[in-house]
Amino acid sequence: MTSKRKAVDEISGHLRKSPAHLMPTKDPQSIWMERIESDPYSNDKYHEGTQQKSKAMGEAMPEIFSTARQDLTYSDYTVGWICALPETELVAACEMLDEEHPMLPAADGDTNVYFLGRIGSHNVVIACLPDGSTGKSSAATVAKDMLRSFRKVRFGVLVGVGGGAPYLGNSDNSKATAEGSDEEDEEFGDIKDIRLGDVVISLHSKSSEAVVQYDFGKSVQGGVFFRTGTLNKPPHILCAAVGKLKARHIAHGHKLSDHLSKISANLRLAPKFQYQGASKDQLFKANVVHSKGRKTCKDCCGALNVNLVERKERHDTSPALHYGTIGSADQVIKDSTLRNKWAKKENIICFEMEAAGLMDSFPCLVIRGICDYADSHKNKIWQPYAAATAAAYAKELLNVISGAEVTKMRTVNEAMEKLSADIAVNTAVSQRVEKHMLTADELSILDWLSSSNFSAPQNSASDSRTPGTGLLWLHGVVIEDLQQLYKRNPQKRLAYWYFQFSDVNTQNVCNMLQSFLRQLSSSPLSSAIRGLRDRHQKSGSRPSTEELMEAVRNIIKGTEQDVFIVIDALDECPLSERRNLLRRINELRNVNNMKVHILATSRREPDINNELKNLPAVAMNIEDQFGKDIKLFVEAALLKNVKLSRWDEDSKSQIREKLTAINETLEQTYEEALKRIPAKYEERVRNILMWLTSSRRPMTLQEIAVVASFDIAQGVLELCSSLLVTLIDENVNQTIKLAHFSVKEYLIITTQKQKLPSPYRFKNELAQAVISEMTVTYLLDSDKSVRLGKKVMPRSLLKYSAEFWPQHAIEAFNSNDPALHRDCKLRLTCCLVLIILRDILHGLISMTLIRISI
């Protein structure tokens, strides 16, 4: 108990200000009260407090009072500080506290004794290994008990002393070596010149780890030892803070001396914890073993210090900082040969005994002050100062980490629970994957069946989603939840599909069914899928919708697993495909009824409601939440987006003001966008919108430019707001489409009750009539190579006209509006007469030429 009493005495030493306090002639309790009363700073620093007793170390121990709030609980402490030696490392740790907090009783089963306080913006809990107990097992036990009591700790620091592994250079102690040391230093510039009192920080690199358990591995024939396994890296937030400090130190130097000054000012601690002097920093050559029975190394130096390694004298006594690998094992290294062997093999620059017990279960950074050179000349004279320099670095490190950011992190307990869950999931997945691993032949069959990138919209939603939002990416959230369920229970199957108005490849029911087959398949492949490939691959044909549907039915019928199918945005499926899609959904519902779970999302479209009326439906009013999501998304972009975050506050404020004035409906938004179009371009824009709403296939930017009589295709994009149109596949086909399905809903008038048409709103029949008239006109002029303005008509537009003009004409003639019907009929009749006359004229000319040639 003596050493623990001594440690307690030293921890409270900063309160002892007068010589009388250095004379322990009274019992500890009386001495403590006198120190509080006589301390001139007690009113400022500690205020008044009530004395509490602690039996933590077997004796009555006074409580340390401070200006800190007295209502702090276990949950308020976010940083765990662990050390091993109570007489040095624990004393130094407590001296680094900016303020000290009252003790809290440990949880049941927790045998640690804690010291609580604040460093910068962090509340820190300090625990020391039991006196006389070192090594990774003891460290792991202390960390485990700490997390039992202080469950909100986010990360830890392991701070204390260690043995350095210095670069010895040339062991020849001649004058020539000393003079040539500059050249030698240049050659080995990356090797550490470590001195006693320096600080080593565990940091990984591309070629080495932060901490290695160098004695953990296997020995094989011939006495060769192989290290196995790796330990976790320090937490990212600590590595980032180390990087920040490194940059600051390069520019301005470190402030360890400032932190050490508190200990230097303590009359009781100063002699023991001060820098011990360069004359006592002796590095012996590797072959020089300490003389047995000698307490000092005086006799080991040899005549004229011939047994010492000659090193350059440093310009000052400030501790140097080194970053690299720390070696940890259940043994004290007191052998220079062994030290050099492991240092070379594992890139170790410091040896210690606790870190290996913490890295995998207590995410932390290891900070070690160098107190010896891990050789037979090991002694304890440098331990206090080395413990102090390590503690000083730890304090400087914590001062550059934001306390607010730390509270946002997962706690260590949460991180470990997630890690355990991830390991369990990965193990289950690995077992399932091994069992159902697809062979190369099976993969080739699935590649033939479907190569669509069905997960691209899901990945985009996941990457874009802002925490706190849901409805903006509702489909993404649902899929992620189901994927997690799928991982937890490998017996479940999941297939999903996104209909996207802007991507024609997603608007095909055959593509969807082919993707479902691929997503639901596992090894061994269903005979239904193999049959599809065998029937069609040789002839180069593709399966029909009925064949695909039958294969999907067979897979679902053949499984006892739950099958989840998600189909997003039914309303964005084209009308030409939608009836087929809705019929397939009803068919899927009736396959293995108890095992199939279908989720389909859509706006309220009459045909969808009618076809799926027998399915359970949930109507959602999302307007309010949608607006909140948009604001959260924009706020996050202003803070985190690299470009937007650089904007000045005035610009950001204007964006926020616009958000508050955003239109309540999309209809108002589109109306305002159209009002901004100059009146002279009204007819051109109207034609653009008619083609984009009613064309039979996606149109290219060049084709639409001809339709709107633009000389330069880019003029279409400059004229039409991005709210209305968008460009797809910009680097390839430059397909232009309406920006969203809701634009089409706004433009096309479907009932008499809708608002009277603006110049840009129209009935579908009118759009069909205009397009049919324009396509016929293009066909009439095609043989003359007519230029519309200065724009040559693309051949693809002529091909479109020849293929689709009858379909546009038929839809126009089917109008229920008598006036529109008459107008369309008159226009198209004229066009048809012209076509007939042209063909007759061509025939007469041909006959004349034949007669002349005869």
Side-chain angles (χ1 to χ4, degrees), residues 13 81 125 130 158 180 297 315 325 344 346 355 359 389 392 476 527 562 591 734 749 757-758 768 807 815 822 827 840:
W81 182 313
V125 50
L158 175 60
C297 297
H315 300 300
T325 301
K344 182 177 180 181
E346 301 290 352
M359 299 305 293
T389 58
S527 59
D562 284 316
V591 179
Q734 288 199 308
I749 298 172
S758 72
Q768 299 291 345
Q807 296 172 5
S815 172
R822 286 194 302 272
R827 287 184 174 190
I840 293 173

Side-chain angles (χ1 to χ4, degrees), residues 461-475:
S462 179
D463 293 341
S464 303
R465 188 165 68 250
T466 300
T469 63
L471 290 174
L472 277 175
W473 295 276
L474 179 61
H475 50 291

Side-chain angles (χ1 to χ4, degrees), residues 131 577 834 842:
D131 195 9
E577 286 278 318
L834 289 174
H842 281 190

Side-chain angles (χ1 to χ4, degrees), residues 17-38:
K17 300 296 182 179
S18 67
H21 292 150
L22 300 178
M23 301 173 61
T25 57
K26 301 180 180 179
D27 65 273
Q29 206 69 24
S30 301
I31 293 174
W32 174 263
M33 294 306 296
E34 285 185 12
R35 288 174 191 153
I36 293 291
E37 292 169 2
S38 62

Side-chain angles (χ1 to χ4, degrees), residues 75-78 121-122 152 154-155 237 401-411 414:
S75 299
D76 295 308
Y77 292 87
T78 57
S121 57
H122 309 280
K152 297 301 182 181
R154 266 59 171 193
F155 61 77
I237 192 170
I401 300 175
S402 165
E405 290 300 315
V406 170
T407 58
K408 297 176 185 177
M409 296 171 57
R410 284 194 183 100
T411 67
E414 290 170 345

Side-chain angles (χ1 to χ4, degrees), residues 113-129:
V113 174
Y114 297 106
F115 296 87
L116 310 177
R118 178 182 59 80
I119 295 178
S121 57
H122 309 280
N123 289 327
V124 181
V125 50
I126 302 172
C128 184
L129 274 62

Side-chain angles (χ1 to χ4, degrees), residues 75 160 283 300 320 340 355 363 388 412 559 574 633 710 793 796 799 826-827:
S75 299
L283 175 59
C300 303
N340 291 347
V412 174
T559 182
F633 178 72
F710 277 102
M793 187 182 304
S796 60
K799 185 178 179 181
L826 179 62
R827 287 184 174 190

Side-chain angles (χ1 to χ4, degrees), residues 292-354:
K292 289 185 179 180
R294 299 289 185 179
K295 291 185 178 181
T296 69
C297 297
K298 185 176 181 180
D299 294 338
C300 303
C301 297
L304 300 177
N305 292 332
V306 69
N307 291 332
L308 296 179
V309 175
E310 186 173 343
R311 297 179 292 179
K312 284 183 178 181
E313 185 177 343
R314 285 187 174 175
H315 300 300
D316 58 50
T317 61
S318 296
L321 307 178
H322 308 279
Y323 308 88
T325 301
I326 291 178
S328 184
D330 272 330
Q331 57 179 323
V332 178
I333 295 289
K334 297 179 69 174
D335 184 332
S336 55
T337 302
L338 193 58
R339 173 199 69 195
N340 291 347
K341 169 193 168 184
W342 284 114
K344 182 177 180 181
K345 185 176 182 179
E346 301 290 352
N347 295 322
I348 293 172
I349 59 174
C350 173
F351 292 89
E352 56 92 77
M353 297 176 61
E354 286 78 37

